[in-house]
Amino acid sequence: MDALEYEELESSAVQTLRERVADLLTEEQKEDYFIKKWLMAQNFDIDKAELMLKQHLKFMKSRGLDKIDENYIPPKAADYFHTRMLGYDTEGSVIRFLHLGATDIRGLALSLSKIDALRYATYVLLCDGRKQRREKANDIICHKQVYIFDLAGLNWTSVIQRAVIEKAYTLLTNYEKNHPESLKCVYVINAPSFFNFIYNWLKTFLPESILSKLHLISKENAPQILGKHIDLSILPASVGGKLVDANGDPNCPSLFKMPLNVPVPESLMLYNQFGVLDNDPLAVKVVVECGAEHKVEALVSEINSFLQWDYQTVNFDICFGLNFKKDENSESKPIFPTRRVDSHRIPESGSFTCEETGIYELVFDNSYSWFTKKDLVYKVSVLSPERNPYE
């Protein structure tokens, strides 16, 4: 089949699918690029593409996402999400920058419901797309997105928060199912040492077609790699670009609504969970003495089981960490080193996908406190691989 014949078959498939679902689509959705991406996602199997598209439309309508437009007002907490559309690459794809390392992702996750997170993500995608159509009206438009993540400053205590994991899972699976053939590539810069845990978690539910577009690059190599497709003058110097603020700040905080590293106010949190564990029959109450630590062992017998925990302290913070040992005779090795957590302000919850069988130790460390013992309430559970806690 030559190129002309293939183009004719492709055009015919687009027209056929459009006719099948015409009564369900807006005028904007009837455009070739929108119809074509569902066909591409299903290797131009028209029946499968029709089913996928109808499922998408049903999903959007059932959650009110089809009503989102540029007049939508995001929740106040979204102001603390440091993200900005920077412009376009050499092929006209949208470039969106996300400074996750300077964002209070834990606070965001505790302040946005799943539906609010989906609505905000839908709003961002819609605004980027419509801005692209306005600014590139006379150009050939590439209906794909390039995402650049700056992870400088990201800490593991935020990453393993269950609320963070649940929101991330919701957003990523929604993007994969409802925005097929939209992702061009993802660049991750200034990745922390524990990024491999994040990547291994992503592999449990994202297809290779998405994972293959994720590129981990160093700040030093970023100019050479990104400069092939992106004008470095629009990219912050903190990730290898040339853009700085008027005062020379390479992080370019002026790009965002709120200052970098500012926590989401507790007043925006959706709920206060204090007291919930007190009434949970599975919760355990202990006192961690001054200069001491309390360890909780969880035996994991199936690979990819989910380890979950909830805990809170009264009046004072505590250090928390996670270790692993193959068996009782083995030496414990840290997965996440202990770190002070303000569990007296907001109850903590976390989750970890266990890639090995063995004993996982949750460490509540009060060794740094000489005079203050800590009242601790916690609950730990292990879920089988089939029971996905993020759905």
Side-chain angles (χ1 to χ4, degrees), residues 86 97 232 234-244 250-252 255:
L86 299 180
F97 177 57
L232 296 180
I234 67 172
L235 191 64
S238 61
V239 288
K242 297 180 179 179
L243 184 66
V244 296
N251 290 294
C252 302
L255 290 175

Side-chain angles (χ1 to χ4, degrees), residues 6 20 96 131 133 209 215-216 229 235 265 270 362:
Y6 181 82
R20 287 189 183 185
R96 177 159 283 275
K131 183 177 181 181
R133 291 161 70 87
S209 59
H215 306 284
L216 186 65
H229 311 287
L235 191 64
L270 290 177
L362 293 88

Side-chain angles (χ1 to χ4, degrees), residues 280-295:
D280 192 322
L282 299 179
V284 178
K285 296 182 180 181
V286 298
V287 175
V288 186
E289 297 293 340
C290 309
E293 64 180 17
H294 179 74
K295 292 184 178 180

Side-chain angles (χ1 to χ4, degrees), residues 171-184:
L171 292 173
L172 291 171
T173 53
N174 168 70
Y175 186 87
E176 188 260 328
K177 293 177 181 177
N178 291 289
H179 303 280
E181 302 300 320
S182 296
L183 180 65
K184 187 173 186 179

Side-chain angles (χ1 to χ4, degrees), residues 153-376:
L154 189 68
N155 66 76
W156 72 266
T157 53
S158 294
V159 171
I160 62 173
Q161 266 284 321
R162 190 180 309 156
V164 172
I165 295 173
E166 288 175 347
K167 299 301 189 306
Y169 179 87
T170 296
L171 292 173
L172 291 171
T173 53
N174 168 70
Y175 186 87
E176 188 260 328
K177 293 177 181 177
N178 291 289
H179 303 280
E181 302 300 320
S182 296
L183 180 65
K184 187 173 186 179
C185 57
V186 176
Y187 294 105
V188 177
I189 306 172
N190 296 320
S193 58
F194 57 82
F195 182 78
N196 62 307
F197 290 105
I198 300 175
Y199 184 73
N200 288 335
W201 172 66
L202 294 175
K203 288 195 299 184
T204 64
F205 63 91
L206 287 181
E208 181 59 28
S209 59
I210 295 289
L211 293 172
S212 63
K213 297 176 182 178
L214 191 155
H215 306 284
L216 186 65
I217 59 178
S218 67
K219 178 182 175 181
E220 292 71 28
N221 292 332
Q224 179 182 358
I225 296 173
L226 299 181
K228 295 177 181 178
H229 311 287
I230 298 172
D231 179 359
L232 296 180
S233 67
I234 67 172
L235 191 64
S238 61
V239 288
K242 297 180 179 179
L243 184 66
V244 296
D245 269 358
N247 63 357
D249 191 334
N251 290 294
C252 302
S254 64
L255 290 175
F256 314 112
K257 289 186 177 181
M258 302 298 293
L260 300 179
N261 299 304
V262 172
V264 178
E266 288 185 44
S267 60
L268 297 180
M269 302 295 176
L270 290 177
Y271 51 82
N272 188 335
Q273 295 178 325
F274 274 105
V276 173
L277 283 177
D278 291 331
N279 300 317
D280 192 322
L282 299 179
V284 178
K285 296 182 180 181
V286 298
V287 175
V288 186
E289 297 293 340
C290 309
E293 64 180 17
H294 179 74
K295 292 184 178 180
V296 181
E297 293 189 348
L299 178 63
V300 173
S301 56
E302 289 185 86
I303 294 175
N304 292 326
S305 293
F306 299 98
L307 175 64
Q308 290 192 326
W309 59 86
D310 300 90
Y311 67 93
Q312 65 186 52
T313 50
V314 179
N315 296 328
F316 303 100
D317 63 6
I318 199 166
C319 281
F320 175 79
L322 181 64
N323 298 337
F324 172 77
K325 58 183 180 181
K326 195 63 181 175
D327 52 49
E328 290 290 358
N329 299 319
S330 302
E331 181 181 353
S332 294
K333 296 182 179 180
I335 296 175
F336 299 121
T338 55
R339 182 169 180 157
R340 290 180 75 162
V341 180
D342 290 336
S343 52
H344 62 301
R345 295 176 61 240
I346 300 176
E348 294 290 319
S349 63
S351 184
F352 184 75
T353 303
C354 304
E355 298 176 350
E356 295 184 69
T357 58
I359 300 171
Y360 290 79
E361 291 181 335
L362 293 88
V363 182
F364 299 96
D365 185 4
N366 194 34
S367 61
Y368 62 92
S369 180
W370 291 7
F371 305 107
T372 307
K373 60 185 179 181
K374 307 295 171 63
D375 293 307
L376 169 70

Side-chain angles (χ1 to χ4, degrees), residues 116-126 171 174:
D116 278 336
L118 283 174
R119 286 170 179 163
Y120 178 64
T122 300
Y123 168 73
V124 169
L125 284 168
L126 180 141
L171 292 173
N174 168 70

Side-chain angles (χ1 to χ4, degrees), residues 84-118:
R84 178 73 175 264
M85 177 182 167
L86 299 180
Y88 312 94
D89 70 3
T90 54
E91 295 180 341
S93 301
V94 167
I95 301 172
R96 177 159 283 275
F97 177 57
L98 305 94
H99 199 328
L100 285 194
T103 295
D104 178 14
I105 57 174
R106 173 176 172 273
L108 275 177
L110 292 172
S111 302
L112 297 175
S113 65
K114 287 184 180 180
I115 190 61
D116 278 336
L118 283 174

